[in-house]
Amino acid sequence: WSLHTPRAMISPAMQLLLTCLLVTIFSVSAYSSSLSSSIMSNLRSLPSTAPLIIGYASNANSGKVDRAIVDGANIIIWSFIHLHITDDSKCTIKTSLDLVEIKRIREKYKHVVHLAAFGGWNGPHPPTFSNGSSLSGEKWCEVFMKFNEESGGLFDGIDWDYEGNDNLDAPTAKFTLETLDIMADFTTEAKSQGLIVSMAPAESYLDASADPDSIDATFSLRLDLPPRAWTSPEDRDMIKGFSHAGRQCYAYVIAKAGVESFDFISIQLYEGYAPYVYEVTRAGKNPVDAIMERVDGFLGGYVVKGMPL
């Protein structure tokens, strides 16, 4: 992809994967001496020829991950880990994942890549200190790398999955520019350290099918917007006040970090009341045609207006 500011022109190399639109960017990163030699040698790379078959998992003990790997999954994204500031102002990584069991899975299946996902629906966004300040993305990346090293190098990289909140009055029902800056700066530092970086925006967060002459192609920090495609009275009655869409917010992260910093991007076409969902369920469009229109939108490039870069 190439992105330019203040308007972003997006041109990716792409693959399709199940219900996600998967954008794959091939890049080479040099490993940094900041990582210990043992962790560097333990990092795994994305498959160079096989398709990326991705599964998100939160329970390492159920046996489902093992079965998915046997069935062909070659990338497991563990949900979730969180940036965290303790009561005594120490910056750490917080997670309820069973790291011991993840280690077993990693050691058993040597070909599988493991990423750690930040965020999730209703999940916390990057925290701040009591005075309202926070660490930079680069410093948060160092915190993650320390956590990963202390955990035995379980994760080959990270996945950005920050989203909104059921409670529209919650602070995380919108992004802050500081959060997006942390994501972008963490990303560039992670890539300089040889880590894999991916993101999984909801379709409204990175929407190549939006009308370029409409407000839907304009950047916004809000995550409490009505879904753009559901506009008729009948549609509005069907969605019953649902208002949890975003508008091109992840485009800012890509523009600032540089598209070369991302190894792949999975577009959530299954987002609640996504434009794709409307087209294939309400408008009767063929699902393949709807997906290929989005592929064409990314390949041909689309403009995101109003980004504060």
Side-chain angles (χ1 to χ4, degrees):
W1 292 6
S2 59
L3 284 91
H4 309 281
T5 56
R7 289 147 59 98
M9 186 63 71
I10 302 178
S11 305
M14 312 185 73
Q15 295 180 15
L16 296 179
L17 178 65
L18 303 178
T19 57
C20 289
L21 191 61
L22 184 68
V23 181
T24 305
I25 299 119
F26 296 95
S27 60
V28 178
S29 299
Y31 291 109
S32 166
S33 59
S34 296
L35 289 173
S36 71
S37 58
S38 62
I39 297 300
M40 288 170 57
S41 63
N42 196 40
L43 289 175
R44 298 173 184 174
S45 301
L46 292 177
S48 58
T49 56
L52 307 185
I53 303 178
I54 303 165
Y56 280 79
S58 58
N59 185 349
N61 302 281
S62 68
K64 292 182 179 179
V65 174
D66 293 82
R67 290 196 295 273
I69 292 172
V70 170
D71 288 341
N74 52 19
I75 300 174
I76 303 298
I77 302 181
W78 293 97
S79 310
F80 291 98
I81 67 173
H82 305 293
L83 306 177
H84 180 66
I85 298 176
T86 64
D87 291 339
D88 56 352
S89 298
K90 291 182 180 178
C91 296
T92 65
I93 299 295
K94 185 176 181 179
T95 185
S96 60
L97 292 169
D98 187 336
L99 301 181
V100 173
E101 190 64 11
I102 292 174
K103 181 179 180 181
R104 178 196 67 78
I105 294 171
R106 182 179 179 88
E107 291 178 347
K108 183 176 181 179
Y109 306 100
K110 303 293 186 181
H111 67 291
V112 175
V113 170
H114 296 265
L115 307 182
F118 288 102
W121 190 257
N122 288 337
H125 291 186
T128 60
F129 295 105
S130 58
N131 64 2
S133 66
S134 183
L135 286 187
S136 67
E138 292 177 350
K139 293 297 184 182
W140 274 121
C141 184
E142 292 177 8
V143 172
F144 167 76
M145 289 190 295
K146 180 181 178 182
F147 158 81
N148 198 32
E149 186 164 5
E150 291 174 347
S151 301
L154 295 180
F155 303 111
D156 304 296
I158 63 102
D159 175 69
W160 294 118
D161 198 15
Y162 286 130
E163 299 177 279
N165 197 291
D166 286 333
N167 180 3
L168 294 179
D169 294 323
T172 53
K174 64 180 179 181
F175 278 128
T176 64
L177 201 57
E178 290 75 16
T179 287
L180 300 183
D181 284 334
I182 286 171
M183 294 168 65
D185 296 342
F186 187 124
T187 293
T188 54
E189 179 64 17
K191 287 307 297 179
S192 75
Q193 301 294 338
L195 299 176
I196 295 167
V197 181
S198 64
M199 63 162 57
E203 185 181 15
S204 65
Y205 297 8
L206 193 65
D207 185 358
S209 64
D211 180 349
D213 297 322
S214 73
I215 194 172
D216 301 312
T218 302
F219 169 83
S220 175
L221 293 170
R222 293 180 61 182
L223 302 176
D224 61 351
L225 298 170
R228 70 167 176 82
W230 303 71
T231 56
S232 73
E234 295 81 4
D235 294 333
R236 292 301 190 199
D237 182 63
M238 175 175 287
I239 66 176
K240 299 185 185 306
F242 181 92
S243 191
H244 293 285
R247 197 172 66 223
Q248 308 291 1
C249 42
Y250 269 54
Y252 175 93
V253 179
I254 297 170
K256 184 173 183 185
V259 72
E260 68 280 358
S261 297
F262 295 91
D263 294 276
F264 62 90
I265 298 171
S266 304
I267 310 297
Q268 295 181 26
L269 299 183
Y270 53 84
E271 174 191 13
Y273 302 110
Y276 173 82
V277 174
Y278 178 85
E279 290 178 17
V280 301
T281 62
R282 297 285 285 169
K285 183 173 288 186
N286 181 288
V288 174
D289 291 340
I291 288 175
M292 293 311 299
E293 285 183 10
R294 285 154 174 79
V295 171
D296 292 340
F298 282 111
L299 286 173
Y302 80 97
V303 172
V304 176
K305 302 184 289 290
M307 291 202 295
L309 287 168

